[in-house]
């Protein structure tokens, strides 16, 4: 199972992913956590370029392609191998961040982005995406208070509002995959809500798709003598 956490800046994804991994490991699952951009030696170097406050002249298309470069490496080197051996992968951001930030935020065409995402990720899609939803101002304040401030955080507030609108649109378009979590609550409550959703998904995922009919159902269908 491939689970992604998405959301605007300061939504608390990074805080929540560790406890979620522990919760699943306690149940015996083989869980790998990672993040985007990054998660590999090459990807972490690309992250440095993307985040550097010195790179203010970066064009949105350059930005979109660098995110895909990091994603291609992470998918091939880390995510796919773990899924193939039956493990659970939790990722702090994935392809939906490209659609929300480079698509809705910068206004790059979504179709073109979907094409490069599919190329980078080799068609891999999350099974479940948790949208940690928080007001843009609250998220940015949390971010600034946390002492971490990168080139993307520094985009205008209007950019971050468009990102949030984008997330809402993406989630509304695919309600089977997306679940919205209120990330404005205290972190323990956010974690509880996340655990409930994930537990339920795993339970449903384990159910056989076409359960065998029960004996009663079979005998009901037999012609009466
Ligand atoms: P974060 O890991 O601290 O959230 O920083 C990652 C930043 O990169 C964040 O501002 C979201 C942004 N981002 C994109 O713009 N596009 C992407 O595809 C990804 C993965 C992240």
């Amino acid at each position: 199972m491939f689970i992604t956490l998405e959301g605007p800046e300061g939504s608390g994804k990074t805080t929540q992913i560790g406890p979620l991994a522990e919760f699943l490991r306690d149940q015996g699952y083989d869980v790998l956590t990672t993040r985007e951009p990054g998660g590999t030696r090459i990807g972490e170097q690309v992250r440095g370029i993307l985040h550097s406050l010195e790179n203010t002249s970066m064009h949105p298309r350059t930005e979109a392609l660098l995110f895909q470069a990091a994603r291609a490496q992470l998918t091939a080197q880390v995510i796919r191998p773990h899924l193939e051996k039956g493990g659970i992968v939790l990722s702090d951001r994935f392809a939906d961040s490209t659609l929300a930030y480079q698509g809705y935020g910068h206004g790059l065409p979504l179709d073109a982005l979907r094409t490069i995402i599919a190329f980078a990720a080799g068609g891999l899609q999350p099974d479940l995406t948790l949208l940690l939803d928080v007001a843009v101002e609250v998220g940015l304040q949390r971010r600034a208070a946390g002492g971490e401030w990168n080139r993307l955080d520094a985009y205008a507030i209007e950019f971050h509002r468009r990102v949030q609108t984008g997330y809402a649109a993406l989630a509304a378009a695919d309600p089977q995959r997306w679940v919205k979590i209120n990330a404005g609550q205290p972190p323990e409550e956010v974690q509880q809500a996340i655990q409930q959703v994930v537990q339920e998904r795993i339970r449903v995922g384990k159910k056989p798709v076409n359960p065998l009919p029960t004996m009663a159902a079979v005998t009901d269908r037999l012609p009466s003598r």
Side-chain angles (χ1 to χ4, degrees):
M1 195 174 192
F2 180 30
I3 303 174
T4 56
L5 284 84
E6 294 282 353
E9 312 301 333
S11 55
K13 297 175 284 57
T14 314
T15 311
Q16 297 296 337
I17 199 165
L20 174 59
E22 280 316 302
F23 170 72
L24 294 171
R25 283 186 190 122
D26 286 348
Q27 297 176 51
Y29 293 106
D30 181 8
V31 184
L32 182 143
T33 63
T34 190
R35 69 169 179 182
E36 275 214 343
T40 63
R41 203 176 61 83
I42 294 170
E44 290 295 329
Q45 291 174 63
V46 176
R47 182 184 179 92
I49 300 171
L50 280 161
H51 279 195
S52 170
L53 287 160
E54 287 176 10
N55 292 333
T56 47
S57 63
M58 190 179 293
H59 191 279
R61 284 198 293 264
T62 311
E63 192 178 287
L65 290 166
L66 284 172
F67 279 115
Q68 305 323 302
R71 178 162 305 136
Q73 191 65 30
L74 180 69
T75 308
Q77 188 183 327
V78 175
I79 300 180
R80 267 198 199 281
H82 195 77
L83 292 175
E84 276 163 13
K85 68 177 174 115
I88 296 180
V89 175
L90 306 179
S91 186
D92 181 346
R93 298 194 182 280
F94 193 64
D96 296 300
S97 284
T98 295
L99 297 173
Y101 282 76
Q102 284 66 55
Y104 287 87
H106 284 312
L108 293 182
L110 293 176
D111 283 354
L113 292 175
R114 287 200 166 98
T115 303
I116 59 171
I117 288 169
F119 178 70
L124 181 68
Q125 296 237 5
D127 299 297
L128 169 66
T129 299
L130 303 164
L131 173 57
L132 271 61
D133 194 37
V134 71
V136 170
E137 294 79 3
V138 174
L140 286 170
Q141 268 162 23
R142 278 185 189 169
R143 189 81 181 176
E148 212 192 312
W149 193 254
N150 65 45
R151 191 183 56 85
L152 288 111
D153 297 324
Y155 282 141
I157 188 130
E158 291 71 29
F159 173 89
H160 294 286
R161 286 197 212 290
R162 289 195 296 275
V163 168
Q164 193 175 40
T165 308
Y167 273 127
L170 293 167
D174 191 357
Q176 291 275 80
R177 171 161 73 87
W178 289 80
V179 177
K180 198 157 101 175
I181 306 278
N182 171 9
Q185 336 171 59
E188 307 73 42
E189 286 170 36
V190 176
Q191 180 61 210
Q192 240 175 16
I194 289 177
Q195 289 180 4
Q196 252 175 27
V197 170
V198 171
Q199 189 79 78
E200 174 62 13
R201 262 320 152 97
I202 290 176
R203 197 183 61 75
V204 170
K206 275 186 182 161
K207 268 195 206 157
V209 181
N210 288 312
L212 291 171
T214 60
M215 197 42 98
V218 173
T219 48
D220 281 353
R221 272 190 250 133
L222 291 175
S224 53
R225 291 175 187 234

